[in-house]
Amino acid sequence: MEIIMSILSGVLFTTGVYNLLQKQLLRIIIGTALISHGAHLFILTMGKLKRGAPPILEYHVDQYTDPLPQALILTSIVISFGVTSLLLVLAYRAAKENETDNMDLLRGNENE
Amino acid sequence: MSNLAVLPIVIPLISSIILAFFHKKLPLVRSVAKLVSIINLFVVGFIITYVYNNGPVVLESGGWDAPFGIILVADMLSMTLVLTTNIIAVAAVFYAQHSLSQKQEEFYFYTFFLLLIAGVSGAFITGDLFNLFVFFEVLLMASYALIVLGGEKVQLRESLKYILINLFSSMLFVTTIAFLYSVVGTINMAQIAQRVQEVDQQGVLTTIGILLFFVFGTKAALFPLYYWLPKPYIVPNPVVSALFGALLTKVGIYSILRVFTLIFGHNPSFTHNFFIWIAGLTLVFGVIGALSTNNIKLIIAYNIIPAVGFMLMGIGVFNEASISGTVYYLVHDMIIKAVLFLIVGAIAYLAGTSDLRKMKGLIHHYPLLGWLLFVSGIVLAGIPPFSGFIGKLLLLQGAFSEGEIIIAIVGLLCSLLILTSVMRIFIRGFWGERDDSLTVHKKTARKLTIPIAFLLCFSILLGVGAELFYPSGASIANYLLNPEIYIEAVLKE
């Protein structure tokens, strides 16, 4: 199971990086979202996908899944939500002020 | 007493939240921000004397024992850096009101400023790898807001690139933590160090170490990863540039220093030789950048890169002289980069341009500012009575005693070129005929000069009083080279 999940998160990273290298601003943001999905899936995988009950204390359960990676993922998800929403608003403003969403044209020149 | 360790994080954090409520009442917000910065400086000063006398303060938050809860470790290294951070913060908060527009100040400048200080202090103090990631994000989020504050065209454009590169490296950081967790099963730095030591840092752990180096190298702007740094650093207000130039890259270097002395120090023939190569290339490329441009802000921004190269060279050489040189240079460079960014900010404001070709003869109007620039230029290059000299001397001593002659020579040549790049600002901008078409703002110049002079005093003190500071630098190096002290202090075995 871990192997399939690793391949999946690898695919997410690949598509994310491919999108990051595009010219259109919105595609780049989609790329960052895909990369963060890949990273979060990877944390879950690396915490070992052993079978067990959800990490809530109950009677008659002797095996739980590892709670730590889940807490780490939750933290990381919230952080990347925050950054992504900031990035979306910023991209909106930047595209509007500079009148382009093409990264090649957002380069600027020396003498400004 | 162990609660002391959390104060440098909590004081700015809480006051930043409170200041967000009164953001339109500028006189109140300004004076509270100044007061908080000064109080925080004194608190940190008290903590550092306490740590100096009693050894590292370890706070186990929530009363959970070390490997299970989040811990904060205030040792001499982290407290020295927090103290430097707070000195810079005091100067910046007094400079801010004269350089920012009223609108920028009203839109939560002081809130984000204090959040940045809280994030940087947290990153220095934490003893947990994932918590380090969280504090990185705290300081980065504050920096995203500060870099775009004002919302000019060029700011929007450059901050977009800055955020994208940092978002990518943050995600890579999370992935690396996942790798490390699956190998050693913990995210507490002391316990990771212990377990890596037990298995003698086999292949996969060195790989993870290099991945972490890649992440921190992106934050610290090392050779192949520095391309994002110069332009985003010159677009915001000078006071924001000064905070960035002084603090952000140095957090990356501190993380490399901590991780590669504490955790991944067992395969130096590979990792540390690699560092020396990277350091050499960083030095050369940074200096080429600094010499290539006529924009005074860009010259200073490029000067960050060779300084980071010097520190990485110290980590790469890895003996007592070079590590204490790195620590000394780290403190020196934080202060002097803040000074230089504040000075060029003032020059650009007073001359009305940041293009070196369009200014001349400023010394006739602003003599004090000119001499401050001159002194900070020779402090940066490392002329003997000043602080840059002692750091570089220790670094070169370390390099020569390990037989790394080539990197030492590269370092010396780069120092010369750094001096050239800064003196070009002085010669082209301040010498020459009096420019009578310039509108002179004597009063603003005086107000902008006071915080700069305040910071430069510390820099000079660090050089002239080297005998006072050298022993603690050496003891920090000794502490870093013996990670058992840290592990025992945290895990209490």
Side-chain angles (χ1 to χ4, degrees), chain B residues 293-367:
Chain B
T293 173
N294 276 318
N295 185 332
I296 53 172
K297 289 183 177 173
L298 209 52
I299 292 175
I300 304 302
Y302 268 114
N303 262 315
I304 296 173
I305 298 165
V308 171
F310 270 117
M311 291 172 227
L312 189 69
M313 163 188 154
I315 300 170
V317 173
F318 205 52
N319 56 20
E320 200 187 320
S322 76
I323 295 287
S324 68
T326 303
V327 174
Y328 208 98
Y329 202 80
L330 190 55
V331 174
H332 145 78
D333 193 64
M334 282 168 86
I335 296 178
I336 199 67
K337 282 289 138 59
V339 169
L340 280 168
F341 269 110
L342 294 179
I343 289 180
V344 292
I347 295 172
Y349 175 77
L350 296 170
T353 172
S354 55
D355 193 335
L356 207 49
R357 287 165 296 193
K358 287 179 191 155
M359 54 178 83
K360 62 174 180 183
L362 288 173
I363 197 98
H364 300 290
H365 303 295
Y366 308 110

Side-chain angles (χ1 to χ4, degrees), chain A residues 13 17 20 25 28 32 35-36 39-40 42-43 46-48 66 68-69 72 75-76 79-80 82-84 86-87 90-91 93-94 97-98 103 106-112, chain B residues 130 133-134 137 141 144-145 148 150-154 156-161 163-164 167-168 171-172 174-175 177-179 181-182 185-187 231 293 295 298 354-355 357:
Chain A
F13 262 97
V17 170
L20 266 188
L25 205 44
I28 295 172
T32 62
I35 285 178
S36 56
H40 298 153
F42 195 68
I43 305 177
M46 286 283 119
K48 304 278 164 21
D66 191 349
L68 185 67
L72 300 188
T75 315
S76 177
I79 289 173
S80 58
V83 180
T84 307
L86 177 76
L87 197 54
L90 191 70
R93 269 293 293 280
E97 295 263 324
N98 290 293
M103 275 314 245
L106 280 174
R107 207 178 270 158
N109 55 3
E110 263 320 299
N111 306 313
E112 53 186 1
Chain B
F130 194 78
F133 162 72
V134 174
E137 288 303 310
M141 285 285 226
Y144 300 157
V148 82
E152 284 166 33
K153 241 181 183 179
V154 58
L156 289 165
R157 209 178 62 207
E158 297 301 329
S159 62
L160 209 55
K161 296 164 194 173
I163 295 177
L164 282 171
L167 184 55
F168 182 75
M171 282 304 128
L172 206 62
V174 173
T175 317
I177 291 172
F179 263 126
Y181 181 68
S182 82
T186 176
I187 46 172
K231 273 194 135 184
T293 173
N295 185 332
L298 209 52
S354 55
D355 193 335
R357 287 165 296 193

Side-chain angles (χ1 to χ4, degrees), chain B residues 10-20 32 36 111 114:
Chain B
V10 163
I11 293 171
L13 192 64
I14 290 177
S15 45
S16 74
I17 295 167
I18 293 169
L19 286 184
V32 171
V36 167
T111 300
L114 288 169

Side-chain angles (χ1 to χ4, degrees), chain B residues 444-457:
Chain B
T444 329
R446 200 178 313 126
K447 280 179 187 156
L448 290 175
T449 315
I450 294 167
I452 298 171
F454 166 78
L455 263 185
L456 198 58
C457 283

Side-chain angles (χ1 to χ4, degrees), chain B residues 199-454:
Chain B
V199 297
D200 207 27
Q201 198 181 341
Q202 284 161 356
V204 66
L205 282 166
T206 307
T207 314
I208 294 169
I210 294 297
L211 262 175
L212 269 183
F213 176 73
F214 184 84
V215 171
F216 296 141
T218 315
K219 313 271 185 209
L222 293 170
F223 156 61
L225 308 165
Y226 68 85
Y227 50 86
W228 59 270
L229 179 132
K231 273 194 135 184
Y233 271 38
I234 63 167
V235 292
N237 196 277
V239 61
V240 177
S241 302
L243 286 170
F244 283 17
L247 305 177
L248 297 195
T249 52
K250 308 312 181 280
V251 178
I253 273 292
Y254 162 79
S255 307
I256 293 174
L257 184 62
R258 184 64 97 192
V259 164
F260 281 88
T261 51
L262 183 63
I263 301 173
F264 300 109
H266 307 287
N267 190 3
S269 61
F270 175 68
T271 49
H272 292 70
N273 277 339
F274 174 64
F275 290 174
I276 291 178
W277 274 98
I278 296 284
L281 291 167
T282 310
L283 279 168
V284 172
F285 277 79
V287 163
I288 290 174
L291 289 172
S292 70
T293 173
N294 276 318
N295 185 332
I296 53 172
K297 289 183 177 173
L298 209 52
I299 292 175
I300 304 302
Y302 268 114
N303 262 315
I304 296 173
I305 298 165
V308 171
F310 270 117
M311 291 172 227
L312 189 69
M313 163 188 154
I315 300 170
V317 173
F318 205 52
N319 56 20
E320 200 187 320
S322 76
I323 295 287
S324 68
T326 303
V327 174
Y328 208 98
Y329 202 80
L330 190 55
V331 174
H332 145 78
D333 193 64
M334 282 168 86
I335 296 178
I336 199 67
K337 282 289 138 59
V339 169
L340 280 168
F341 269 110
L342 294 179
I343 289 180
V344 292
I347 295 172
Y349 175 77
L350 296 170
T353 172
S354 55
D355 193 335
L356 207 49
R357 287 165 296 193
K358 287 179 191 155
M359 54 178 83
K360 62 174 180 183
L362 288 173
I363 197 98
H364 300 290
H365 303 295
Y366 308 110
L368 185 58
L369 197 64
W371 292 115
L372 283 178
L373 175 70
F374 182 75
V375 172
S376 48
I378 59 178
V379 169
L380 180 73
I383 307 287
F386 297 112
S387 58
F389 172 69
I390 294 134
K392 270 178 195 161
L393 183 71
L394 287 168
L395 286 173
L396 294 176
Q397 231 171 31
F400 276 120
S401 71
E402 292 287 311
E404 305 281 356
I405 310 293
I406 297 172
I407 186 76
I409 292 169
V410 170
L412 280 172
L413 284 176
C414 285
S415 305
L416 198 66
L417 295 175
I418 288 169
L419 183 66
T420 318
S421 72
V422 180
M423 280 308 139
R424 264 181 71 219
I425 305 179
F426 184 71
I427 292 169
R428 294 268 209 92
F430 280 89
W431 284 1
E433 286 167 29
R434 191 188 182 97
D435 188 1
D436 286 318
S437 61
L438 201 70
T439 43
V440 183
H441 315 269
K442 280 267 187 228
K443 215 172 169 191
T444 329
R446 200 178 313 126
K447 280 179 187 156
L448 290 175
T449 315
I450 294 167
I452 298 171
F454 166 78

